[in-house]
Amino acid sequence: MHASQGRSVGLGIALASAFAFGGSGVAAKPLIEAGLDPLHVVWLRVTGAAVVMLPLAWRHRALLVRRPALLAGFGLLAVAGVQAFYFAAISRIPVGVALLIEYLGPALVLLWVRFVQRRHVTRAAAVGVVLAVGGLACVVEVWAGLSFDPVGVLLGLGAACCQAFYFILADQGAGGEDAPDPLGVIAYGLLVGAVVLTVVARPWTMDWSLLGGSADMGGSQVSAALLLGWIVLIATVLAYVTGVVSVRKLSPQVAGVVACLEAVVATVLAWVLLREHLSAPQIVGGAVVLVGAFIAQSTTPSAPPPSGPVAGGSGGGRAAEAAEQEGRGTRLSAEPTTP
């Protein structure tokens, strides 16, 4: 009962994270169309969130000594890496193709669990990933831009790898007594990401006056400062916090599949708020992603394997995983994504 309730709560938090992350593009696009460079929007997003989380960073300053590698890895990969690789990819290949490649991250998580951690992966989790990726291909209408650019594809795969490490690092330390507080890890991850993105984005070249004006959102004028506030507080701070908590309550592979809903949320919000057209294949693809996420988190193994925990969506497998990892004392702690 408790495991089932915990999984339900985790699923709800994962959905909240997907909605929060999915709304970033709808708020960012009007700012970009108003004249801000995409990389400058990303820098404002991460740096603003880092400033908001500064009190938590100070509160958990002991993490700098206890877990410096985790903080650096989270900031470099889960925050700065995803953003930098994704924007570099869309400079060479269509946005839809880059987004689809980035969301191969959950599949890479399964490969990590199976071949690096050498744990069993449930068939439900594997089927869920396949369906989610297939549905995403329809959501982003990948056939609309099939020109092959090997460098662009490699950059997209770099974003996918960083996204996979977001889920892996977010799960570190979930079952240990000395687990670092996820809020502290997020705070320092954002600080590290802000420093890295400052070098990449060069914000001193930005036209700051644009933030004092307004931007067009589906025919309505909206304050640029309000849009930026949404991106920082909802699409970054709230999204990262709920994302990490959902990974702790579910598992990296299940939370990764649910995160695929971010692209669906982004497409629907763009349809409603930006008056962008939503085609029949996109609607069907969104339904397929939903089915994949449901399958990945709903199936529970009939019995736990004797050799170790099962990677999937089961409460029993998750509890066994926590016990085994706590016994080994190897877990750390930590969150997205998505543009």
Side-chain angles (χ1 to χ4, degrees):
M1 176 65 72
H2 292 295
S4 177
Q5 290 178 344
R7 188 176 63 184
S8 298
V9 171
L11 180 60
I13 296 174
L15 290 172
S17 178
F19 273 88
F21 273 123
S24 63
V26 175
K29 186 170 182 178
L31 294 176
I32 294 172
E33 291 180 341
L36 280 176
D37 185 272
L39 273 178
H40 289 159
V41 175
V42 173
W43 179 83
L44 287 168
R45 172 186 183 180
V46 175
T47 304
V51 171
V52 172
M53 298 290 280
L54 269 177
L56 286 172
W58 175 255
R59 179 180 178 182
H60 298 286
R61 57 191 179 277
L63 287 175
L64 289 171
V65 177
R66 290 172 50 209
R67 301 295 176 88
L70 175 62
L71 302 183
F74 196 79
L76 289 172
L77 298 174
V79 178
V82 172
Q83 306 287 348
F85 276 115
Y86 175 73
F87 278 97
I90 63 176
S91 70
R92 303 185 65 98
I93 59 179
V95 172
V97 177
L99 191 63
L100 178 62
I101 296 174
E102 179 186 343
Y103 276 92
L104 291 176
L108 296 179
V109 171
L110 284 183
L111 294 176
W112 175 276
V113 170
R114 179 65 184 89
F115 295 106
V116 178
Q117 297 183 336
R118 298 187 180 280
R119 290 159 46 204
H120 294 291
V121 174
T122 61
R123 182 176 299 178
V127 171
V129 167
V130 172
L131 287 175
V133 172
L136 279 174
C138 296
V139 171
V140 303
E141 294 186 330
V142 64
W143 53 83
L146 293 177
S147 57
F148 181 72
D149 183 322
V151 176
V153 171
L154 287 175
L155 291 170
L157 288 174
C161 290
C162 290
Q163 189 200 56
F165 274 106
Y166 156 66
F167 293 107
I168 293 168
L169 291 173
D171 193 47
Q172 298 302 299
E177 294 182 358
D178 192 36
D181 191 293
L183 295 180
V185 176
I186 294 169
Y188 280 105
L190 288 169
L191 284 171
V192 173
V195 171
V196 174
L197 288 172
T198 297
V199 177
V200 176
R202 297 183 300 170
W204 50 86
T205 64
M206 179 172 55
D207 184 0
W208 292 87
S209 64
L210 293 173
L211 298 177
S214 60
D216 180 75
M217 175 180 277
S220 301
Q221 293 298 309
V222 181
S223 168
L226 180 63
L227 292 173
L228 181 60
W230 176 276
I231 293 172
V232 170
L233 298 176
I234 304 299
T236 307
V237 174
L238 178 64
Y240 269 91
V241 171
T242 52
V244 169
V245 173
S246 71
V247 173
R248 296 289 188 85
K249 289 186 174 294
L250 296 170
S251 65
Q253 56 274 20
V254 174
V257 176
V258 178
C260 291
L261 293 173
E262 294 169 20
V264 180
V265 172
T267 303
V268 172
L269 289 178
W271 176 40
V272 175
L273 298 177
L274 301 181
R275 304 293 188 266
E276 293 186 354
H277 176 65
L278 193 62
S279 66
Q282 287 177 309
I283 296 174
V284 173
V288 173
V289 173
L290 286 171
V291 171
F294 176 78
I295 290 176
Q297 64 81 35
S298 64
T299 302
T300 302
S302 56
S307 59
V310 174
S314 73
R318 185 70 177 143
E321 174 191 344
E324 181 197 39
Q325 297 286 8
E326 181 177 355
R328 290 207 308 258
T330 57
R331 308 283 295 248
L332 305 174
S333 136
E335 163 182 71
T337 106
T338 168

